[in-house]
Amino acid sequence: MERVTTFIETELLENPNYRVLINTPAGVVRAFVTNEFQFTAQADYNSPFEALLGAGEQLNLGLAAISMATGGTQFQLKSLRATVATWVDSQKPSFTLPMLFVSLGGEDIRGEVGKLLRGVYPIGVDKLEAPYGYAVDASGEAVKGTISVRIGKWFYARKQILRQVDVQYSRQVLNSGLPLFANVTIVFEPYRLPNADEVLSYFRAA
């Protein structure tokens, strides 16, 4: 318990770049980043000309069999130009953010965690609505039910959707019996595919 308190007082509270601020439709969530902030970016390419030349596969197998039978050099009827890659698509960046929620004044941290859980579970009973009331208009630009995530002074991303929330409550409890802290990891991504400038703008927060 003493080591946890010392870490909070000497590291987290003194360094503003550890602070996380998440604006959600359920309210503002405040926490501390506790580990490396990770994200994945991906572009997809293929070689369509190779698929078009796939009909020559049987011929190449035949040529290989002849070469083995005669002891000749093996070769294929294939051009390197047929392996040229063409861009197919890019994937949304997926961000993984580990955070610490800690009760500094005896407050119930379950309420803060609950604001995030509302972002992955539907609203309603018989008629279910998307988490946070998420909806996009016909233009694809006007969207509601998203979150914004700020980390210190170096990261800020708007119009994000929560994909996953992992929660681990502490065994240590307050005098009230409530958890002292919780380790929470969220996975989020933009609601639509961003372009390169938009992705880079996330890391230019002031």
Side-chain angles (χ1 to χ4, degrees):
M1 182 81 70
E2 182 178 346
R3 291 178 60 187
V4 173
T5 303
T6 301
F7 174 73
I8 292 171
E9 292 177 347
T10 61
E11 296 290 335
L12 297 185
L13 294 180
E14 296 298 324
N15 190 338
N17 287 308
Y18 280 125
R19 295 176 184 171
V20 177
L21 183 68
I22 305 174
N23 278 294
T24 82
V28 178
V29 175
R30 292 177 174 84
F32 301 98
V33 61
T34 56
N35 211 328
E36 282 71 16
F37 176 46
Q38 175 182 333
F39 74 100
T40 300
Q42 179 180 330
D44 297 327
Y45 292 81
N46 68 15
S47 301
F49 300 108
E50 283 191 295
L52 293 174
L53 297 176
E57 187 67 23
Q58 293 300 320
L59 177 58
N60 283 325
L61 290 174
L63 292 172
I66 294 173
S67 297
M68 292 178 64
T70 61
T73 301
Q74 295 188 15
F75 64 93
Q76 286 191 11
L77 295 178
K78 179 177 182 179
S79 169
L80 292 179
R81 284 175 293 183
T83 66
V84 172
T86 60
W87 175 71
V88 176
D89 198 4
S90 291
Q91 304 300 317
K92 297 177 185 177
S94 178
F95 299 91
T96 301
L97 176 59
M99 300 177 293
L100 173 68
F101 291 79
V102 60
S103 180
L104 297 172
E107 62 273 19
D108 187 352
I109 58 174
R110 295 176 301 171
E112 293 294 285
V113 175
K115 295 174 186 177
L116 296 175
L117 292 176
R118 288 185 179 277
V120 292
Y121 288 108
I123 301 169
V125 178
D126 296 322
K127 180 183 178 182
L128 299 181
E129 297 180 16
Y132 286 153
Y134 174 79
V136 186
D137 74 351
S139 72
E141 291 300 323
V143 59
K144 68 175 185 177
T146 62
I147 65 172
S148 65
V149 181
R150 183 183 293 275
I151 306 174
K153 297 180 178 180
W154 62 273
F155 180 87
Y156 179 59
R158 298 171 57 249
K159 297 183 178 181
Q160 306 292 304
I161 54 177
L162 271 179
R163 297 300 304 271
Q164 183 174 328
V165 179
D166 296 322
V167 182
Q168 184 180 45
Y169 284 110
S170 67
R171 290 183 299 172
Q172 295 90 345
V173 296
L174 304 169
N175 291 334
S176 61
L178 297 173
L180 172 63
F181 65 88
N183 290 305
V184 178
T185 299
I186 62 172
V187 178
F188 62 93
E189 65 181 32
Y191 84 100
R192 64 160 172 78
L193 179 68
N195 62 33
D197 288 337
E198 289 173 321
V199 172
L200 294 176
S201 73
Y202 298 161
F203 299 92
R204 296 172 184 161

